[in-house]
Amino acid sequence: MGALSALEQAMEHGWEALWARVTDREPVELLEALRHECDSNVVVCSESRVVVPNAYDVELADFAYDELVRRGSDVGQELTDSLARHGEQRGYEWAGPLTVHITRSAQVPNGRYRVASRAMPHVSAEGFQLAAR
């Protein structure tokens, strides 16, 4: 277990260092923005069921987006995993499969980002085939 913990810490530190270089901001700030977006859009269905959006969009300034692409980082998956852990800790139910999608935006100033969420239903492969007909 000690080796796995050390590896996990090393990976986490590397990812945080990348974000600090790319955006001039701490990655914790972006994670907090995602968590806040999630927490701000809860729908309480019953005492034991709290549903939150499952599709999150992160818009990055051109420079930050280009740096991520150049480095080949899979930040979207890292953010998705972190948000999934947050939801699990809070007992949230996702409206569908959880995704965090990162895009470039010319309207976002360098070093900044925008976060938005929505409930996106899960569409089966059969649904796409029927729609194509």
XYZ file of all heavy atoms in Angstrom, residues 47-124:
614
model
N -35.637 12.403 0.492
C -34.690 12.446 1.606
C -33.406 11.684 1.296
O -32.328 12.043 1.747
C -35.367 11.844 2.841
C -34.647 12.101 4.122
C -35.451 11.600 5.297
O -36.569 12.106 5.520
O -34.943 10.695 5.987
N -33.517 10.652 0.486
C -32.357 9.814 0.197
C -31.836 9.955 -1.234
O -30.934 9.243 -1.641
C -32.703 8.347 0.458
O -33.764 7.953 -0.390
N -32.389 10.894 -1.990
C -31.976 11.027 -3.394
C -31.732 12.495 -3.754
O -32.668 13.295 -3.791
C -33.031 10.440 -4.316
C -32.596 10.403 -5.755
C -33.565 9.609 -6.611
N -33.047 9.551 -7.964
C -33.785 9.736 -9.048
N -35.080 9.954 -8.934
N -33.235 9.664 -10.234
N -30.481 12.803 -4.009
C -30.081 14.149 -4.427
C -29.379 14.017 -5.779
O -28.351 13.359 -5.890
C -29.138 14.806 -3.395
C -28.702 16.176 -3.871
C -29.810 14.887 -2.037
N -29.960 14.642 -6.799
C -29.445 14.515 -8.163
C -28.717 15.807 -8.544
O -29.163 16.910 -8.213
C -30.591 14.238 -9.158
C -30.070 14.131 -10.579
C -31.322 12.956 -8.768
N -27.585 15.640 -9.226
C -26.791 16.784 -9.695
C -26.503 16.625 -11.182
O -26.589 15.527 -11.727
C -25.466 16.905 -8.904
C -25.727 17.295 -7.462
C -24.662 15.631 -8.975
N -26.158 17.734 -11.857
C -25.831 17.646 -13.286
C -24.674 16.683 -13.524
O -23.832 16.474 -12.657
C -25.412 19.079 -13.640
C -26.041 19.928 -12.595
C -26.069 19.107 -11.361
N -24.637 16.125 -14.701
C -23.594 15.155 -15.020
C -22.630 15.619 -16.107
O -21.596 15.008 -16.319
C -24.216 13.825 -15.450
C -25.019 13.945 -16.722
O -25.861 14.825 -16.843
N -24.773 13.069 -17.665
N -22.932 16.713 -16.789
C -22.063 17.207 -17.859
C -21.528 18.584 -17.468
O -22.304 19.517 -17.240
C -22.834 17.288 -19.162
N -20.218 18.685 -17.379
C -19.568 19.927 -16.966
C -18.657 20.397 -18.087
O -17.907 19.610 -18.652
C -18.764 19.714 -15.677
C -19.667 19.424 -14.510
C -20.192 18.158 -14.307
C -20.036 20.430 -13.627
C -21.054 17.895 -13.263
C -20.894 20.179 -12.575
C -21.403 18.911 -12.401
O -22.260 18.656 -11.362
N -18.747 21.687 -18.388
C -17.924 22.287 -19.433
C -16.979 23.285 -18.784
O -17.407 24.159 -18.026
C -18.791 23.008 -20.463
C -19.691 22.047 -21.210
O -19.168 21.017 -21.693
O -20.897 22.312 -21.301
N -15.701 23.140 -19.089
C -14.678 24.060 -18.605
C -14.114 24.759 -19.829
O -13.588 24.106 -20.730
C -13.558 23.322 -17.837
C -12.468 24.287 -17.423
C -14.119 22.574 -16.642
N -14.250 26.069 -19.882
C -13.694 26.857 -20.973
C -12.387 27.472 -20.486
O -12.365 28.124 -19.442
C -14.651 27.964 -21.384
C -15.929 27.468 -21.997
C -16.837 28.619 -22.359
O -16.575 29.277 -23.395
O -17.784 28.864 -21.596
N -11.324 27.262 -21.238
C -10.011 27.802 -20.901
C -9.598 28.854 -21.916
O -9.990 28.791 -23.081
C -8.956 26.693 -20.895
C -9.094 25.600 -19.849
C -8.025 24.543 -20.070
C -8.994 26.171 -18.451
N -8.783 29.771 -21.474
C -8.192 30.750 -22.372
C -7.321 30.019 -23.390
O -6.852 28.910 -23.140
C -7.368 31.750 -21.571
N -7.100 30.654 -24.533
C -6.334 30.033 -25.612
C -4.990 29.500 -25.149
O -4.627 28.361 -25.446
C -6.107 31.034 -26.752
C -7.379 31.326 -27.534
O -8.282 30.467 -27.544
O -7.459 32.410 -28.134
N -4.230 30.303 -24.430
C -2.886 29.900 -24.008
C -2.938 28.652 -23.134
O -2.186 27.694 -23.341
C -2.194 31.039 -23.255
C -0.894 30.615 -22.641
C 0.234 30.453 -23.433
C -0.796 30.350 -21.287
C 1.435 30.044 -22.880
C 0.399 29.944 -20.721
C 1.523 29.790 -21.519
N -3.823 28.636 -22.147
C -3.915 27.491 -21.233
C -4.338 26.241 -21.982
O -3.779 25.159 -21.770
C -4.892 27.793 -20.104
N -5.286 26.374 -22.884
C -5.746 25.228 -23.660
C -4.618 24.685 -24.544
O -4.383 23.482 -24.602
C -6.956 25.607 -24.504
C -7.523 24.439 -25.265
C -8.441 23.586 -24.661
C -7.129 24.172 -26.571
C -8.949 22.498 -25.351
C -7.634 23.083 -27.257
C -8.542 22.254 -26.648
O -9.037 21.174 -27.326
N -3.910 25.581 -25.214
C -2.809 25.161 -26.087
C -1.727 24.429 -25.297
O -1.161 23.440 -25.769
C -2.189 26.369 -26.800
C -3.120 26.955 -27.846
O -4.076 26.263 -28.259
O -2.900 28.118 -28.239
N -1.422 24.909 -24.105
C -0.411 24.267 -23.266
C -0.836 22.849 -22.882
O -0.032 21.927 -22.893
C -0.138 25.085 -22.011
C 0.790 26.241 -22.237
C 2.181 25.787 -22.653
O 2.810 24.999 -21.914
O 2.636 26.224 -23.723
N -2.092 22.684 -22.545
C -2.574 21.350 -22.173
C -2.485 20.391 -23.355
O -2.065 19.253 -23.204
C -4.017 21.417 -21.657
C -4.196 22.027 -20.292
C -5.677 22.075 -19.938
C -3.444 21.240 -19.235
N -2.879 20.850 -24.526
C -2.819 20.011 -25.719
C -1.364 19.670 -26.055
O -1.031 18.524 -26.359
C -3.520 20.709 -26.907
C -3.240 19.977 -28.209
C -5.013 20.794 -26.658
N -0.505 20.655 -25.970
C 0.912 20.449 -26.288
C 1.545 19.423 -25.360
O 2.346 18.597 -25.775
C 1.670 21.770 -26.189
C 3.114 21.706 -26.658
C 3.775 23.065 -26.602
N 3.950 23.579 -25.262
C 4.929 23.195 -24.423
N 5.804 22.302 -24.808
N 5.026 23.726 -23.225
N 1.177 19.445 -24.106
C 1.758 18.535 -23.129
C 1.080 17.160 -23.137
O 1.541 16.241 -22.481
C 1.674 19.127 -21.729
C 2.529 20.353 -21.570
C 2.285 21.012 -20.234
N 2.966 22.275 -20.138
C 4.190 22.426 -19.668
N 4.864 21.375 -19.260
N 4.738 23.611 -19.618
N -0.042 17.048 -23.842
C -0.713 15.765 -23.931
C -1.358 15.323 -22.629
O -1.527 14.148 -22.372
N -1.717 16.263 -21.797
C -2.292 15.948 -20.493
C -3.766 15.549 -20.616
O -4.500 16.090 -21.438
C -2.170 17.165 -19.577
O -2.731 16.879 -18.335
N -4.189 14.611 -19.787
C -5.584 14.174 -19.748
C -6.281 14.806 -18.548
O -6.759 14.131 -17.654
C -5.658 12.652 -19.691
C -7.049 12.137 -19.997
O -7.901 12.929 -20.446
O -7.294 10.938 -19.774
N -6.310 16.132 -18.534
C -6.854 16.870 -17.412
C -8.353 16.626 -17.266
O -8.869 16.557 -16.155
C -6.552 18.379 -17.557
C -7.214 19.176 -16.463
C -5.058 18.590 -17.535
N -9.056 16.474 -18.373
C -10.495 16.218 -18.303
C -10.812 14.998 -17.466
O -11.726 15.010 -16.638
N -10.044 13.940 -17.639
C -10.272 12.721 -16.861
C -9.918 12.938 -15.396
O -10.611 12.457 -14.505
C -9.459 11.553 -17.431
C -9.770 10.224 -16.776
C -11.231 9.828 -16.930
O -11.758 9.820 -18.034
N -11.894 9.519 -15.827
N -8.849 13.673 -15.145
C -8.458 13.970 -13.759
C -9.545 14.776 -13.054
O -9.884 14.502 -11.904
C -7.141 14.749 -13.728
C -5.953 13.963 -14.188
C -5.518 12.906 -13.180
O -5.832 13.050 -11.982
O -4.868 11.943 -13.595
N -10.088 15.768 -13.740
C -11.151 16.579 -13.155
C -12.417 15.753 -12.950
O -13.102 15.900 -11.935
C -11.445 17.787 -14.039
C -10.339 18.830 -14.123
C -10.675 19.881 -15.180
C -10.099 19.481 -12.775
N -12.719 14.882 -13.907
C -13.882 14.002 -13.769
C -13.731 13.107 -12.554
O -14.671 12.954 -11.757
C -14.065 13.148 -15.041
O -14.226 14.011 -16.168
C -15.283 12.242 -14.931
N -12.552 12.516 -12.372
C -12.310 11.640 -11.223
C -12.447 12.396 -9.907
O -13.056 11.897 -8.949
C -10.922 10.998 -11.314
C -10.801 10.027 -12.481
O -11.840 9.620 -13.049
O -9.650 9.692 -12.841
N -11.906 13.604 -9.847
C -11.991 14.410 -8.626
C -13.433 14.790 -8.323
O -13.872 14.744 -7.166
C -11.147 15.674 -8.759
O -9.794 15.359 -8.859
N -14.182 15.161 -9.347
C -15.581 15.529 -9.157
C -16.405 14.313 -8.753
O -17.311 14.413 -7.916
C -16.139 16.168 -10.426
C -17.485 16.869 -10.296
C -17.457 17.941 -9.217
C -17.877 17.475 -11.634
N -16.080 13.151 -9.304
C -16.784 11.915 -8.925
C -16.572 11.610 -7.444
O -17.514 11.223 -6.739
C -16.306 10.748 -9.783
N -15.349 11.800 -6.963
C -15.073 11.583 -5.535
C -15.863 12.563 -4.677
O -16.407 12.204 -3.628
C -13.577 11.697 -5.252
C -12.777 10.482 -5.719
C -11.344 10.500 -5.215
N -10.563 11.620 -5.724
C -9.913 11.610 -6.881
N -9.952 10.537 -7.659
N -9.225 12.659 -7.267
N -15.954 13.810 -5.121
C -16.720 14.824 -4.390
C -18.192 14.411 -4.296
O -18.802 14.480 -3.225
C -16.590 16.179 -5.098
C -17.455 17.248 -4.529
N -17.187 17.852 -3.320
C -18.591 17.825 -4.999
C -18.116 18.758 -3.073
N -18.977 18.761 -4.075
N -18.753 13.987 -5.427
C -20.151 13.559 -5.434
C -20.393 12.350 -4.557
O -21.414 12.256 -3.870
N -19.460 11.430 -4.562
C -19.576 10.232 -3.732
C -19.562 10.607 -2.250
O -20.362 10.087 -1.463
C -18.425 9.284 -4.046
C -18.517 7.949 -3.332
C -17.365 7.037 -3.723
O -17.055 6.960 -4.927
O -16.802 6.413 -2.808
N -18.680 11.521 -1.881
C -18.607 11.958 -0.486
C -19.890 12.637 -0.035
O -20.287 12.521 1.122
C -17.428 12.921 -0.290
C -16.085 12.272 -0.412
C -14.953 13.300 -0.477
O -15.172 14.494 -0.632
N -13.719 12.805 -0.376
N -20.547 13.348 -0.942
C -21.781 14.063 -0.605
C -23.037 13.220 -0.775
O -24.126 13.661 -0.448
C -21.915 15.310 -1.486
C -20.808 16.318 -1.345
C -21.121 17.264 -0.209
N -20.033 18.169 0.050
C -20.112 19.474 -0.036
N -21.233 20.039 -0.397
N -19.071 20.221 0.242
N -22.897 12.035 -1.353
C -24.057 11.180 -1.573
C -24.905 11.596 -2.755
O -26.096 11.295 -2.816
N -24.303 12.283 -3.733
C -25.030 12.740 -4.906
C -25.249 11.598 -5.891
O -24.466 10.670 -5.976
C -24.259 13.833 -5.641
C -24.124 15.141 -4.895
C -23.102 16.017 -5.214
C -25.015 15.521 -3.902
C -22.963 17.233 -4.568
C -24.883 16.726 -3.244
C -23.853 17.585 -3.579
O -23.721 18.781 -2.934
N -26.312 11.744 -6.662
C -26.592 10.843 -7.777
C -26.473 11.685 -9.040
O -27.073 12.752 -9.148
C -28.011 10.282 -7.649
C -28.407 9.349 -8.747
C -29.831 8.844 -8.576
O -30.268 8.654 -7.432
O -30.497 8.661 -9.599
N -25.675 11.221 -9.990
C -25.476 11.957 -11.231
C -26.675 11.767 -12.143
O -27.282 10.702 -12.165
C -24.194 11.498 -11.927
C -23.002 11.612 -11.034
C -22.357 10.598 -10.408
C -22.337 12.802 -10.614
N -21.333 11.080 -9.633
C -21.302 12.443 -9.745
C -22.520 14.161 -10.893
C -20.453 13.373 -9.155
C -21.671 15.082 -10.313
C -20.650 14.690 -9.461
N -27.018 12.776 -12.916
C -28.154 12.713 -13.835
C -27.896 11.769 -15.002
O -28.800 11.449 -15.760
C -28.479 14.111 -14.357
N -26.685 11.304 -15.143
C -26.262 10.397 -16.205
C -24.773 10.175 -16.050
O -24.197 10.518 -15.021
N -24.116 9.638 -17.073
C -22.666 9.439 -16.985
C -21.943 10.780 -16.795
O -22.211 11.741 -17.511
C -22.303 8.819 -18.331
C -23.583 8.266 -18.858
C -24.678 9.136 -18.316
N -21.053 10.838 -15.834
C -20.342 12.064 -15.497
C -19.232 12.349 -16.504
O -18.429 11.466 -16.812
C -19.737 11.951 -14.090
C -18.884 13.114 -13.615
C -19.703 14.406 -13.570
C -18.298 12.802 -12.254
N -19.203 13.587 -17.010
C -18.142 14.012 -17.924
C -17.721 15.439 -17.591
O -18.538 16.258 -17.167
C -18.591 13.989 -19.401
O -19.698 14.883 -19.565
C -18.992 12.602 -19.850
N -16.455 15.703 -17.778
C -15.925 17.063 -17.719
C -15.232 17.293 -19.052
O -14.279 16.600 -19.387
C -14.941 17.254 -16.546
C -14.338 18.647 -16.582
C -15.633 17.004 -15.207
N -15.751 18.237 -19.800
C -15.244 18.520 -21.145
C -14.516 19.861 -21.128
O -15.051 20.860 -20.654
C -16.409 18.562 -22.136
C -15.988 18.685 -23.542
N -15.411 17.657 -24.251
C -16.051 19.736 -24.389
C -15.143 18.073 -25.468
N -15.514 19.330 -25.580
N -13.288 19.867 -21.634
C -12.477 21.083 -21.644
C -12.411 21.620 -23.069
O -12.100 20.880 -24.003
C -11.067 20.797 -21.110
C -11.166 20.302 -19.680
C -10.193 22.036 -21.196
C -9.867 19.867 -19.084
N -12.715 22.915 -23.225
C -12.686 23.544 -24.540
C -11.911 24.852 -24.483
O -11.670 25.403 -23.421
C -14.108 23.841 -25.062
O -14.775 24.696 -24.130
C -14.907 22.568 -25.262
N -11.559 25.326 -25.655
C -10.871 26.611 -25.817
C -11.938 27.695 -25.976
O -12.961 27.477 -26.603
C -10.015 26.532 -27.068
C -9.428 27.841 -27.516
C -8.951 27.789 -28.958
N -8.199 26.606 -29.289
C -6.868 26.549 -29.343
N -6.155 27.604 -29.065
N -6.267 25.436 -29.672
N -11.654 28.866 -25.415
C -12.567 29.984 -25.589
C -11.779 31.279 -25.731
O -10.972 31.613 -24.862
C -13.522 30.095 -24.398
O -14.328 31.246 -24.550
N -12.041 31.992 -26.802
C -11.372 33.273 -27.023
C -11.940 34.350 -26.099
O -11.308 35.389 -25.897
C -11.535 33.699 -28.482
N -13.110 34.109 -25.524
C -13.728 35.105 -24.639
C -13.227 35.024 -23.194
O -13.551 35.877 -22.387
C -15.252 34.938 -24.629
C -15.918 35.503 -25.854
C -16.200 34.412 -26.877
O -16.255 33.245 -26.541
N -16.359 34.793 -28.124
N -12.442 34.011 -22.869
C -11.938 33.858 -21.511
C -10.544 34.464 -21.442
O -9.665 34.083 -22.216
C -11.887 32.363 -21.099
C -11.297 32.201 -19.720
C -13.279 31.755 -21.160
N -10.324 35.436 -20.529
C -8.994 36.045 -20.418
C -7.948 35.019 -19.980
O -8.275 34.045 -19.307
C -9.163 37.119 -19.345
C -10.607 37.224 -19.069
C -11.281 35.997 -19.603
N -6.695 35.253 -20.373
C -5.610 34.339 -20.003
C -5.543 34.149 -18.495
O -5.676 35.098 -17.736
C -4.277 34.866 -20.517
C -3.585 33.856 -21.382
O -4.126 32.786 -21.646
N -2.405 34.191 -21.825
N -5.333 32.907 -18.086
C -5.242 32.592 -16.673
C -6.594 32.417 -16.012
O -6.676 32.191 -14.810
N -7.658 32.536 -16.772
C -9.009 32.397 -16.228
C -9.705 31.210 -16.881
O -9.193 30.614 -17.827
C -9.830 33.670 -16.482
C -9.244 34.924 -15.898
C -9.201 34.979 -14.394
N -10.530 34.785 -13.848
C -10.756 34.471 -12.591
N -9.779 34.301 -11.759
N -11.985 34.309 -12.152
N -10.887 30.919 -16.395
C -11.683 29.823 -16.934
C -13.143 30.095 -16.642
O -13.481 30.973 -15.835
C -11.262 28.486 -16.314
C -11.205 28.543 -14.807
C -12.355 28.381 -14.047
C -10.012 28.798 -14.153
C -12.317 28.472 -12.675
C -9.967 28.886 -12.784
C -11.121 28.715 -12.044
O -11.078 28.817 -10.685
N -14.007 29.349 -17.283
C -15.443 29.406 -17.048
C -15.940 27.991 -16.868
O -15.525 27.091 -17.597
C -16.139 30.028 -18.257
C -17.031 31.176 -17.917
C -17.706 31.718 -19.130
N -16.764 32.632 -19.777
C -16.891 33.077 -21.010
N -17.883 32.703 -21.751
N -16.017 33.904 -21.521
N -16.834 27.787 -15.905
C -17.383 26.460 -15.630
C -18.904 26.537 -15.740
O -19.523 27.448 -15.197
C -16.983 25.961 -14.223
C -17.632 24.634 -13.915
C -15.472 25.863 -14.101
N -19.493 25.586 -16.440
C -20.949 25.481 -16.563
C -21.328 24.009 -16.483
O -20.501 23.129 -16.743
C -21.420 26.085 -17.873
N -22.585 23.754 -16.117
C -23.035 22.362 -16.020
C -24.445 22.232 -16.569
O -25.170 23.212 -16.706
C -23.005 21.889 -14.568
O -23.947 22.624 -13.797
N -24.787 21.000 -16.857
C -26.141 20.689 -17.331
C -26.389 19.202 -17.124
O -25.447 18.418 -17.004
C -26.331 21.078 -18.791
C -25.499 20.246 -19.751
C -25.516 20.824 -21.147
N -24.768 20.052 -22.094
C -23.448 19.966 -22.169
N -22.709 20.605 -21.302
N -22.852 19.243 -23.082
N -27.645 18.861 -17.094
C -28.005 17.441 -17.055
C -28.089 16.972 -18.496
O -28.835 17.522 -19.298
C -29.339 17.246 -16.349
N -27.267 16.006 -18.818
C -27.245 15.475 -20.177
C -27.652 14.014 -20.084
O -26.957 13.216 -19.449
C -25.850 15.609 -20.780
C -25.793 15.203 -22.230
S -24.192 15.550 -22.982
C -23.180 14.306 -22.223
N -28.782 13.651 -20.668
C -29.230 12.262 -20.557
C -28.307 11.312 -21.291
O -27.648 11.696 -22.262
C -30.618 12.284 -21.202
C -30.587 13.440 -22.134
C -29.650 14.450 -21.517
N -28.264 10.114 -20.803
C -27.482 9.065 -21.441
C -28.258 8.567 -22.651
O -29.414 8.208 -22.554
C -27.245 7.912 -20.462
C -26.522 6.760 -21.090
N -25.219 6.844 -21.490
C -26.936 5.518 -21.404
C -24.855 5.688 -22.013
N -25.868 4.873 -21.975
N -27.633 8.594 -23.795
C -28.273 8.122 -25.017
C -27.532 6.856 -25.452
O -26.325 6.877 -25.639
C -28.214 9.188 -26.126
C -28.852 8.681 -27.404
C -28.888 10.460 -25.654
N -28.275 5.788 -25.623
C -27.654 4.529 -26.021
C -27.237 4.577 -27.485
O -27.708 5.424 -28.264
C -28.632 3.368 -25.813
O -29.699 3.470 -26.735
